[in-house]
Amino acid sequence: MRLLVMGGTWFLGKCVVEGALRRGWQVTTFNRGRSGRDVPRAETVRGDRTVREDVRRLAGHGQWDAVIDTSSSELPPRDVLLTARELSGNAARWVHVSTVSVYAGWPHHALTEKSEVLECPPDADETYGYTGPDGSPTAYGFQKAGGERAVIEAFGDEAVLLRPGVIVGPGEYVGRLPWWLLRAERGGRILAPDPRGRFIQPVDVRDVAAFALDQAAAEDGGGAYNVTHPQGLAMEEFVRSCVAVAGSDGSPVWVPPELLVQHGVTQWTELPLWRTHEGVWIVDPRRAVAAGLRCRPLYETIADTWTWLQDGGRPVSHPRWAEHGISPDKEDRILASLG
């Protein structure tokens, strides 16, 4: 099996490359060489996928059975279209890492792969789309929907669209799970969002990588898959697991969502993974599970991420890391107001 990975040096891309090499595949990676380190034993081609000449030079490196694209999160659809078109004669299949944000109903409604997707043309530039007044839909969701259409235009039935929600695990660069772990380590009273029994569906990066590789090698047609945890974990168990693996004396203080909103706590970032919208964690992964998605228990992901942090693990520098986590002063003020 010959695989081309767009990206391939950090987090999901790195896991994909390492997993493919363990399977005995021949792997080529294409990136600018600015983030992360190349995985040993993978062929590396340097270039910018937004530059046609660079992509054409990449195409000269041969034929691939499949492409896995892990590096399009910040690209407008037109650049995804450029790459997919230029490589359509060099690869039989394209596995595209997208997002649940492409759904028009996210995060308000329960979702399946049959749910309506946002409209965005495959050749749109970075100005297309908008973010709604309540934070949905998002310009990001429109852009990713256009990227999906670009891949479908170039690869047709051999386009595979993976739609994860939140990806966590060792190497995470966004900082959601690391923030909770580091906050748990500090101990004391920990501001935590009710309802504590609400299940969340983050998925381990290693499980997403394995599913992407399975889909790259699949012989059936493509299509879309929601890549979310089929069992999930209650928010209370998530927070208490972070406290446990950090060996902390932390004590969660569960606060009603309306009170958090009243105190101006920013959803999704100041308390990572918390959002009041009804459908944020009701994303049906059964189609992916039927196709082979296997998700390890989230406690294992939490423990492995803590081990990675304790071993000196640091993600690739990324501005989103700084967005996550409530400041200690603000948290203390809210906790003090509760008595």
Side-chain angles (χ1 to χ4, degrees):
M1 180 81 177
R2 296 197 66 200
L3 178 70
L4 170 62
V5 180
M6 308 300 290
T9 61
W10 52 306
F11 201 40
L12 177 57
K14 181 172 180 283
C15 281
V16 166
V17 174
E18 292 173 340
L21 291 170
R22 285 194 296 270
R23 297 183 186 204
W25 296 5
Q26 293 178 264
V27 183
T28 302
T29 62
F30 183 68
N31 56 68
R32 296 174 298 178
R34 299 178 184 176
S35 301
R37 298 179 179 178
D38 297 314
V39 176
R41 297 192 294 120
E43 176 192 19
T44 299
V45 180
R46 292 279 185 253
D48 187 332
R49 60 180 295 177
T50 68
V51 177
R52 189 180 303 275
E53 292 74 17
D54 285 3
V55 180
R56 286 179 174 173
R57 179 168 48 81
L58 169 65
H61 281 256
Q63 295 286 321
W64 295 278
D65 298 297
V67 177
I68 298 180
D69 186 359
T70 67
S71 70
S72 67
S73 63
E74 298 178 8
L75 292 179
R78 67 178 180 187
D79 288 333
V80 178
L81 183 62
L82 182 157
T83 312
R85 277 178 173 171
E86 291 293 335
L87 295 177
S88 61
N90 295 80
R93 194 171 179 86
W94 187 290
V95 179
H96 192 70
V97 180
S98 185
T99 170
V100 297
S101 295
V102 301
Y103 289 115
W106 190 85
H108 299 281
H109 306 295
L111 299 170
T112 73
E113 289 86 356
K114 295 181 180 180
S115 299
E116 179 186 359
V117 173
L118 296 168
E119 289 292 335
C120 180
D123 58 352
D125 66 15
E126 63 277 2
T127 66
Y128 193 93
Y130 63 91
T131 297
D134 69 341
S136 65
T138 61
Y140 173 73
F142 280 102
Q143 292 280 306
K144 293 293 281 185
E148 288 189 357
R149 285 178 171 81
V151 174
I152 292 170
E153 179 175 306
F155 279 83
D157 291 341
E158 292 302 323
V160 181
L161 311 174
L162 306 186
R163 295 172 178 163
V166 172
I167 303 176
V168 294
E172 184 194 335
Y173 65 91
V174 174
R176 296 184 178 105
L177 175 52
W179 183 84
W180 277 108
L181 285 163
L182 295 172
R183 174 61 192 91
E185 182 185 30
R186 291 208 324 264
R189 299 171 77 205
I190 301 172
L191 189 68
D194 257 334
R196 69 198 74 183
R198 188 180 194 184
F199 276 74
I200 60 176
Q201 295 177 284
V203 62
D204 192 293
V205 62
R206 295 163 293 186
D207 299 330
V208 179
F211 186 64
L213 290 168
D214 290 345
Q215 287 304 305
E219 296 181 355
D220 56 354
Y225 295 93
N226 293 331
V227 187
T228 56
H229 204 292
Q231 285 81 42
L233 190 68
M235 193 69 189
E236 181 173 24
E237 291 303 311
F238 172 79
V239 175
R240 294 194 181 280
S241 294
C242 289
V243 170
V245 301
S248 168
D249 65 353
S251 176
V253 178
W254 296 95
V255 180
E258 58 271 17
L259 192 56
L260 293 173
V261 172
Q262 180 182 328
H263 280 280
V265 178
T266 304
Q267 299 185 43
W268 209 236
T269 52
E270 285 195 299
L271 288 181
L273 307 179
W274 167 65
R275 199 164 182 173
T276 57
H277 301 78
E278 182 66 26
V280 64
W281 295 116
I282 312 178
V283 182
D284 187 350
R286 283 179 293 181
R287 184 170 192 265
V289 170
L293 174 66
R294 298 293 179 266
C295 292
R296 70 197 68 204
L298 281 168
Y299 183 85
E300 181 179 330
T301 302
I302 294 167
D304 289 350
T305 303
W306 177 247
T307 298
W308 167 71
L309 287 169
Q310 293 302 104
D311 288 345
R314 287 293 179 268
V316 171
S317 179
H318 197 281
R320 293 186 68 187
W321 183 279
E323 297 175 358
H324 289 86
I326 191 170
S327 72
D329 287 346
K330 185 172 181 178
E331 182 182 20
D332 287 344
R333 287 196 303 272
I334 297 172
L335 289 170
S337 74
L338 301 176

